[in-house]
């Protein structure tokens, strides 16, 4: 349930929020999530899906925690495939390091292993306190300069919030099975 008892809600370390419509998120859930991350140091991972983009979170307590500013009118972009690009910060962020953690080449090879992505959910902007870890190679935000963030993170109070603008991480399994896929999610 999205509205468990308070003691159960705060018992975990991280909340994964996937492809959900706004109607599934009660105000109580959003408020508890904000308290969980901001005051108790919990983690929140928001994963955009193909049905209900991050714009569904507009006007909620969750939206104000995100490392991106959502656009309630934005729709999935799937006109052309693209290869996500790791930023410098993405190449050095511990949870983004795949492989043995020492080899930059293995890390980049693991990420290239995903192959071209068929879609992503665009956002309005990158939040001022966010760090973009992966971005679209050409598409930009509303300012016309900032590349669309595909993976971004930010501190919120005592916790951290991670945003993924697509739900295609399963593609890390190509050629190497569970190795990089499990490593990514366990490090997050």
């Amino acid at each position: 349930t999205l509205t468990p008892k308070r003691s159960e809600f705060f018992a975990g370390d991280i909340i994964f929020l996937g492809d959900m419509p706004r109607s599934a998120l009660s105000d109580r859930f959003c408020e508890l999530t904000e308290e969980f991350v901001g005051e108790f140091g919990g983690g929140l991972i928001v994963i955009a899906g193909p049905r209900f983009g991050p714009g569904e979170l507009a006007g909620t307590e969750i939206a104000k925690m995100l490392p991106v500013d959502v656009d309630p009118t934005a729709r999935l972009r799937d006109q052309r495939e693209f290869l996500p690009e790791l930023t410098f910060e993405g190449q050095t962020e511990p949870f983004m390091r795949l492989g043995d953690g020492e080899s930059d080449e293995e890390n980049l090879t693991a990420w290239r292993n995903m192959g071209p992505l068929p879609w992503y959910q665009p956002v309005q902007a990158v939040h001022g306190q966010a760090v973009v870890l992966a971005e679209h190679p050409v598409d930009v935000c509303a300012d016309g300069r900032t590349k669309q963030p595909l993976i971004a993170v930010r501190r919120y109070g005592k916790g951290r919030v991670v945003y993924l603008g697509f739900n295609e991480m399963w593609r890390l399994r190509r050629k190497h099975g569970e190795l990089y896929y499990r490593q990514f999610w366990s490090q997050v």
Side-chain angles (χ1 to χ4, degrees), residues 52-187:
F52 307 102
E56 291 282 319
L57 300 173
T60 68
E61 293 295 310
I62 294 172
K64 75 179 189 181
M65 298 187 295
L66 292 174
V68 296
D69 296 333
V70 298
D71 179 353
T73 64
R75 299 292 171 249
L76 172 121
R77 291 198 186 150
D78 62 356
Q79 294 78 17
R80 64 186 178 279
E81 291 184 332
F82 62 93
L83 291 171
E85 294 181 347
L86 292 183
T87 63
F88 173 77
E89 293 83 358
Q91 292 177 48
T92 57
E93 169 64 40
F95 80 76
M96 296 283 287
R97 298 286 301 175
L98 301 178
D100 63 14
E102 307 277 327
S103 167
D104 290 337
E105 188 54 40
E106 182 181 8
N107 183 48
L108 293 174
T109 298
W111 282 102
R112 280 188 223 114
N113 177 59
M114 287 183 73
L117 298 180
W119 65 272
Y120 77 99
Q121 288 281 2
V123 297
Q124 180 88 18
V126 175
H127 189 278
Q129 298 172 349
V131 176
V132 175
L133 305 174
E135 60 194 10
H136 195 282
V138 294
D139 288 0
V140 294
C141 295
D143 67 4
R145 297 183 316 273
T146 306
K147 289 187 178 178
Q148 280 286 338
L150 299 174
I151 303 175
V153 63
R154 85 173 258 216
R155 280 237 161 258
Y156 183 82
K158 295 179 181 176
R160 282 181 91 187
V161 180
V162 177
Y163 168 78
L164 281 86
F166 58 95
N167 68 358
E168 302 278 324
M169 294 307 291
W170 60 269
R171 292 173 180 274
L172 285 172
R173 293 178 171 135
R174 276 185 49 198
K175 301 179 188 173
H176 302 282
E178 297 293 312
L179 176 65
Y180 299 130
Y181 178 80
R182 287 181 186 243
Q183 184 179 12
F184 174 79
W185 287 115
S186 67
Q187 291 173 173

Side-chain angles (χ1 to χ4, degrees), residues 23-46:
S23 60
L25 304 173
S26 69
D27 289 342
R28 180 173 181 265
F29 173 82
C30 295
E31 291 163 6
L32 286 173
T33 301
E34 194 271 335
E35 185 178 2
F36 172 75
V37 175
E39 295 181 32
F40 292 96
L44 172 64
I45 299 177
V46 175

